[in-house]
Every structure is written in C-alpha cells, then in structure tokens.
Amino acid sequence: MKLSVWIKVPYTVFVCVLVPVYWLERGPANFLWLSDIALLATVPALWLENRFLASMMAVGVLLPELAWNLDFFLRLITGYDVIGLNATGYMFENRYTPLFRFFSLFHVFLPALLLWMIYRLGYDRRAVYAETLLIWALFLVCYLATDPERNLNWVFGLGNPPQTWVSGPLYLVLLMCLYPLLIVFPVHFILKSVFSGR
C-alpha cells in the first residue's frame, strides 16, 4: 500500500460531509465544477491507488486551483480582488453559510494532495487525453444544461457576468480549444518531466 490510510479516511470523511452541505447550499449542479469533480474523483483514486485517475484530476485542475489559492490569499491579505476574475468572492460573502465556506477550503489542500499522490503512485501519461475528453464533455453539458448566471466552469465567459464580445457557441469552442492548450497540456508536460522516473 503506497498511500496511507491516515490520508484516505480523513479525506473520505471530509468529502462525505461536504457533499450534503454543498448540495443544500448550492444544489447538485455545483458538482459540475471541474474542481468539485476532482474533489470527488480523488476518493476512489486514493482508495484504489489509481495513478491514472489521480493524474487525470491533476492535469485538469492544478493550474486553476493554484490560481484560486493565489486569488483567495491575496484577497484575504489585501481585501481586494487582485486577479480580477472574482473566483473566490463567495468566500467573503455573508450570503453563504460559514460551513459552506469552510468546506470550500478544499481548494487549498487539493493541489498538494494530488501532487503527493502522483509522487507516490507515479504519473500516467494517458491522463492528458482522457482529461481533455472529460473537459470537452463537461463544458458541453454546462453550456447546454445549466443556468448562464451560474456560469459553471466559465463556459459563458471568464468571471461574472457572462461575456458578450463573441457569440456563445464561438466562445465555447474557443474555451474547449484553449483550456487544454493553455492548462491541461502544460501541466502534463511538467508532470511528465518531473515524475518521469517514477
């Protein structure tokens, strides 16, 4: 066993408590966020010690999660939205319960956990292709079946409110091309390089 049960059990309990809290606060659609999918998929990845699943989640969310952390901690320190995307504004709004905001701190430790899992299990190079397909399918679902005001995975524009400078379908196609190109594949090349010997 490469991954300690002392990581598996607390993480699983945390997610099991988070799910009903999130469901009641924001509804089931909230679980369509890429970060929430990574949070949930990390549970079986931990217990099965599945490097393919861990690698998929890492290439998909490491950069966005690091941006979330940068935005959150800069706002915590300065009181301002330094990045300008309002990605973490909800963490400072009283309309959300303290319990919801507490569980949203999973964004802080998820990147470290995924990197630790890859360090222990190794990086699976096939993950980049599977994650790209997952992202394309997810973006389509979010665009076709969710409220534009929620703007899940920013399929209607970066930040809020949704963008209006190009047509919605064209923006979606651009997003589906640019997200893998600018986020997934760069992380893939870094992880492949750093963990190539494992």
Side-chain angles (χ1 to χ4, degrees):
M1 183 165 48
K2 295 182 178 181
L3 304 181
S4 171
V5 71
W6 296 106
I7 299 292
K8 295 175 180 178
V9 171
Y11 183 83
T12 303
V13 171
F14 178 87
V15 172
C16 286
V17 177
L18 174 146
V19 168
V21 170
Y22 264 44
W23 190 290
L24 292 172
E25 185 87 23
R26 299 290 287 154
N30 205 72
F31 294 105
L32 292 174
W33 281 104
L34 269 171
S35 55
D36 290 69
I37 289 173
L39 173 81
L40 298 174
T42 300
V43 174
L46 272 170
W47 286 99
L48 299 173
E49 300 192 353
N50 187 309
R51 71 183 187 135
F52 176 68
L53 194 51
S55 300
M56 272 184 70
M57 298 305 105
V59 294
V61 302
L62 274 181
L63 277 182
E65 290 298 289
L66 292 175
W68 190 98
N69 276 276
L70 181 64
D71 187 54
F72 174 71
F73 285 108
L74 285 175
R75 186 181 293 231
L76 194 63
I77 293 166
T78 67
Y80 297 102
D81 178 14
V82 178
I83 294 179
L85 293 177
N86 198 27
T88 61
Y90 68 95
M91 293 294 287
F92 302 91
E93 295 175 5
N94 289 331
R95 63 186 173 126
Y96 298 110
T97 65
L99 193 58
F100 173 80
R101 287 180 283 162
F102 167 77
F103 280 108
S104 292
L105 290 173
F106 79 82
H107 294 282
V108 175
F109 63 80
L110 184 61
L113 177 61
L114 289 170
L115 285 172
W116 175 76
M117 290 172 68
I118 292 172
Y119 170 74
R120 298 288 296 169
L121 302 173
Y123 175 66
D124 193 319
R125 298 177 183 198
R126 301 169 301 165
V128 67
Y129 306 109
E131 183 66 11
T132 298
L133 292 174
L134 172 64
I135 286 166
W136 286 347
L138 181 63
F139 285 179
L140 281 170
V141 168
C142 289
Y143 185 81
L144 296 173
T146 65
D147 182 2
E149 290 301 314
R150 293 286 299 273
N151 200 12
L152 297 176
N153 295 305
W154 293 347
V155 295
F156 296 100
L158 290 178
N160 286 310
Q163 65 83 32
T164 55
W165 54 277
V166 295
S167 71
L170 177 57
Y171 172 82
L172 178 64
V173 170
L174 289 172
L175 182 66
M176 291 173 72
C177 293
L178 292 175
Y179 194 95
L181 187 65
L182 300 178
I183 294 176
V184 177
F185 277 86
V187 174
H188 161 72
F189 290 123
I190 292 169
L191 294 179
K192 183 175 72 168
S193 172
V194 172
F195 299 106
S196 60
R198 300 190 66 79

